[in-house]
């Protein structure tokens, strides 16, 4: 059942000034009115000579807490970051020499390259996404995959992947950047979950999160540690003998302050929405579009729809009709989010002449 205080989809849509004809949340989310107001007020205050450092730190910690609630994990297990690849590199640093990492074919490079270039004889093996669970064996140290594939919108069988990893004692890294914000994600099922919040969570770019299991935290070195990774950040500004935080905060990087000022209200909005209602709304619009296009329904529902468009002709048709979409890996790609409704389906279908 929806939460008693959850806004309806129409109310949530009203939180955004734009959105009509914008089908590219999988590329970058739109800032809500509250995010625009928060960032604008901060910039005005800073320009007037009154930057509020305490408010910056409060926005960071509020964002951390809200993300923890969104993915169902204790806040002590959440580290903040700014980039997916940097967090993935931390995970790579925790692997033993000669470790094998299994990833899907065509996986987003920020999840693959940190392991490819990790050195220490760490090797990367690929498999088709649909067969990723079967590819895990006794030699596998880590399975790294996106919950939702960027290029195709395909939703991974996370249950099967997690079960296969558990059977063979392998750790798991799930990139939830294309998921959190429309697809429910339970972070405690994985050793690491990485999420950049600038897509489906509609935060400014520069806000990412990393959740860490106990067994990963025990072997992952805090190689990006700076002053904000200290047990008391404001007492960790100088020298090399500062005590690091005892929880996941020791993996923090110094936060991009203004980005977190904008992220906090964005995360507030998504934390207020009923997850099942949001999932039904986004995937329902995508399914309606796919049906009108004569596409087979995917095995697992997605808010992202892609189709072959090697010459970019369909993407051009959408663009000419004033629709913001994207193209990836020879495919046209559209996404339906909280700020979209049935009129966006009709507009896209008309633009494509279907």
């Amino acid at each position: 059942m929806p939460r008693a205080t959850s806004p309806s989809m129409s109310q949530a849509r009203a939180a955004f000034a734009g959105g009509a004809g914008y089908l590219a949340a999988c590329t970058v989310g739109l800032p809500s009115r509250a995010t625009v107001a928060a960032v604008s007020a901060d910039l005005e205050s800073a320009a007037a000579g009154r930057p509020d450092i305490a408010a910056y730190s409060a926005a960071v910690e509020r964002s951390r807490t809200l993300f923890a609630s969104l993915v169902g994990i204790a806040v002590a297990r959440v580290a903040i970051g700014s980039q997916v690849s940097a967090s993935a590199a931390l995970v790579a640093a925790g692997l033993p020499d000669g470790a094998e990492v299994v990833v899907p074919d065509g996986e987003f490079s920020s999840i693959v390259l940190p392991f490819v270039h990790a050195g220490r004889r760490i090797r990367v093996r690929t498999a088709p996404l649909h067969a990723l669970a079967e590819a895990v064996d006794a030699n596998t140290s880590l399975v790294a995959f996106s919950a939702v594939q960027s290029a195709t919108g395909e939703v991974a069988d996370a249950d099967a992947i997690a079960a296969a990893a558990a059977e063979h004692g392998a750790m798991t890294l799930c990139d939830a950047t294309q998921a959190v914000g429309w697809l429910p994600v339970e972070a405690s099922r994985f050793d690491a979950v990485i999420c950049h919040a600038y897509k489906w969570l509609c935060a400014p770019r520069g806000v990412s999160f990393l959740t860490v299991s106990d067994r990963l935290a025990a072997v992952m070195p805090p190689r990006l540690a700076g002053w904000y990774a200290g047990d008391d950040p404001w007492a960790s500004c100088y020298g090399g003998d500062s005590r690091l935080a005892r929880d996941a905060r020791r993996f923090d990087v110094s936060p991009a302050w203004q980005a977190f000022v904008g992220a906090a209200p964005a995360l507030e909005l998504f934390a207020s929405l009923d997850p099942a209602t949001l999932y039904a709304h986004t995937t329902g619009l995508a399914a309606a579009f796919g049906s009108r296009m004569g596409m087979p329904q995917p095995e697992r529902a997605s808010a992202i729809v892609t189709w072959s468009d090697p010459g970019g002709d369909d993407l051009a048709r959408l663009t000419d009709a004033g629709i913001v979409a994207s193209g990836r890996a020879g495919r046209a790609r559209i996404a339906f989010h909280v700020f979209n409704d049935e009129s966006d389906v009709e507009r896209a279908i008309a633009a494509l002449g279907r």
Side-chain angles (χ1 to χ4, degrees), residues 170-194:
M171 289 194 290
T172 50
L173 164 59
C174 176
D175 178 5
T177 299
Q178 290 287 9
V180 181
W182 71 268
L183 178 68
V185 172
E186 186 180 343
S188 60
R189 300 175 61 204
F190 310 104
D191 289 286
V193 169
I194 302 174

Side-chain angles (χ1 to χ4, degrees), residues 65-350:
T65 299
L66 288 164
F67 182 78
S69 72
L70 280 166
V71 298
I73 201 166
V75 68
R77 294 185 180 273
V78 180
I80 63 159
S82 59
Q83 298 172 336
V84 167
S85 58
S87 293
L90 271 182
V91 176
L95 296 179
D97 292 358
E100 177 188 88
V101 180
V102 176
V103 302
D105 293 336
E107 179 59 81
F108 193 71
S109 60
S110 291
I111 288 296
V112 181
L113 293 179
F115 299 101
V116 170
H117 297 287
R120 298 185 293 111
R121 295 178 287 104
I122 289 175
R123 61 192 186 279
V124 174
R125 179 163 58 89
T126 67
L129 181 64
H130 67 83
L132 192 64
E134 290 79 3
V136 180
D137 60 28
N139 296 314
T140 306
S141 296
L142 176 76
V143 188
F145 70 101
S146 291
V148 181
Q149 288 292 299
S150 173
T152 64
E154 185 178 359
V155 178
D157 188 347
D159 290 337
I161 295 168
E167 179 183 353
H168 295 287
M171 289 194 290
T172 50
L173 164 59
C174 176
D175 178 5
T177 299
Q178 290 287 9
V180 181
W182 71 268
L183 178 68
V185 172
E186 186 180 343
S188 60
R189 300 175 61 204
F190 310 104
D191 289 286
V193 169
I194 302 174
C195 179
H196 203 306
Y198 78 102
K199 293 181 183 284
W200 295 90
L201 289 171
C202 298
R205 185 168 170 84
V207 173
S208 70
F209 301 95
L210 167 66
T211 72
V212 185
S213 70
D214 283 340
R215 69 168 174 171
L216 177 59
V219 297
M220 190 169 74
R223 289 191 175 170
L224 302 181
W227 70 279
Y228 208 78
D231 188 52
D232 177 0
W234 293 104
S236 305
C237 296
Y238 305 101
D241 57 355
S242 300
R243 185 174 68 179
L244 296 183
R246 288 163 288 185
D247 59 15
R249 291 187 301 111
R250 70 180 179 273
F251 303 116
D252 282 0
V253 300
S254 180
W257 281 334
Q258 281 76 20
F260 276 93
V261 166
L267 294 167
E268 291 269 10
L269 171 63
F270 285 97
S272 75
L273 300 177
D274 177 64
T277 301
L278 180 55
Y279 174 80
H281 172 78
T282 54
T283 60
L285 292 175
F289 174 82
S291 178
R292 294 283 295 276
M293 289 281 286
M295 298 175 179
Q297 292 300 313
E299 182 178 355
R300 285 170 290 278
S302 180
I304 303 172
V305 184
T306 71
W307 64 97
S308 180
D309 186 33
D313 297 333
D314 280 347
L315 180 57
R317 292 184 183 97
L318 292 168
T319 301
D320 290 345
I323 296 171
V324 180
S326 56
R328 295 291 186 275
R331 303 179 69 81
R333 185 179 70 162
I334 62 174
F336 295 93
H337 203 12
V338 63
F339 40 69
N340 300 120
D341 60 17
E342 293 79 3
S343 67
D344 291 300
V345 175
E346 297 299 328
R347 186 173 176 183
I349 291 295

